[in-house]
Amino acid sequence: MQLQYKVLNPKLGSEFPLPAYATTGSAGLDLRAMVEQRLQIEPGQTVLIPTGLAIHIADPGYAGLVLPRSGLGHKHGIVLGNLVGLIDSDYQGELMVSCWNRGHATFALEPGERLAQLVIVPVMQVTLEQVEEFEASHRGSGGFGHSGRQ
Ligand SMILES: O=c1ccn([C@H]2C[C@H](O)[C@@H](COP(=O)(O)OP(=O)(O)OP(=O)(O)O)O2)c(=O)[nH]1
Ligand SMILES: [Mg+2]
């Protein structure tokens, strides 16, 4: 699938690489923090970071997910303030990353640093049908551990 993107910050493609899959099997495109200078993010702080990039997925059968990078999340506690970002197929604005320092140490975010990743996934827009009763299923309304732990 072809994905149209716009470069909103000219440092992307000159000082810093354009988005690309790091390996042939990569699922995510790394998103870079297009901040002017190093940014100290204090423990507990959440900052909205521009990526310098806009995409237009266009096809409502797809969406974008902004996900944390595992290394930053596990080692430094740098995750997303919205936990997961959802990019609508009709969104054309700048991709933004809500950067949450859930760790215990100040994190120095460097300009151009790969901060999060974008995954394009198929989604289904459903047609809604309101009913009074569902056809009975084996599970019924049991949930939240209903089937035990083992
Ligand atoms: O991490 C994110 C999450 C969202 N967005 C953009 C793309 C998305 O299509 C739009 C709206 O996101 P969402 O629907 O999750 O937020 P909302 O709070 O419901 O805002 P809106 O009222 O604009 O839908 O914001 C980002 O750039 N980064
Ligand atoms: Mg919304």
Side-chain angles (χ1 to χ4, degrees):
M1 168 193 170
Q2 200 93 294
L3 177 66
Q4 290 193 344
Y5 72 93
K6 285 205 287 197
V7 171
L8 305 179
N9 185 324
K11 285 184 185 167
L12 269 184
S14 53
E15 220 174 298
F16 306 112
L18 290 170
Y21 290 105
T23 66
T24 49
S26 294
L29 292 159
D30 285 331
L31 297 173
R32 293 176 183 275
M34 298 311 290
V35 288
E36 281 305 309
Q37 51 202 328
R38 176 184 295 166
L39 187 65
Q40 306 269 20
I41 306 176
E42 303 301 330
Q45 201 184 358
T46 305
V47 194
L48 199 57
I49 305 291
T51 63
L53 199 69
I55 61 170
H56 185 209
I57 299 172
D59 183 340
Y62 294 89
L65 296 180
V66 179
L67 300 174
R69 294 186 66 212
S70 50
L72 282 182
H74 184 71
K75 292 186 201 144
H76 301 284
I78 295 298
V79 293
L80 305 177
N82 47 356
L83 303 188
V84 175
L86 177 63
I87 311 301
D88 297 289
S89 67
D90 54 357
Y91 180 70
Q92 298 181 321
E94 183 165 13
L95 292 179
M96 303 296 289
V97 175
S98 173
C99 179
W100 173 29
N101 182 353
R102 62 154 186 80
H104 300 290
T106 302
F107 182 77
L109 180 67
E110 302 292 339
E113 179 166 357
R114 291 175 297 142
L115 178 60
Q117 51 189 332
L118 173 73
V119 180
I120 304 295
V121 292
V123 293
M124 185 167 287
Q125 243 190 24
V126 297
T127 53
L128 293 164
E129 178 194 12
Q130 186 180 358
V131 297
E132 293 303 324
E133 296 293 341
F134 294 129
E135 191 182 317
S137 71
H138 181 63
R139 171 183 287 274
S141 53
F144 295 87
H146 172 85
S147 65
R149 289 187 63 181
Q150 298 297 323

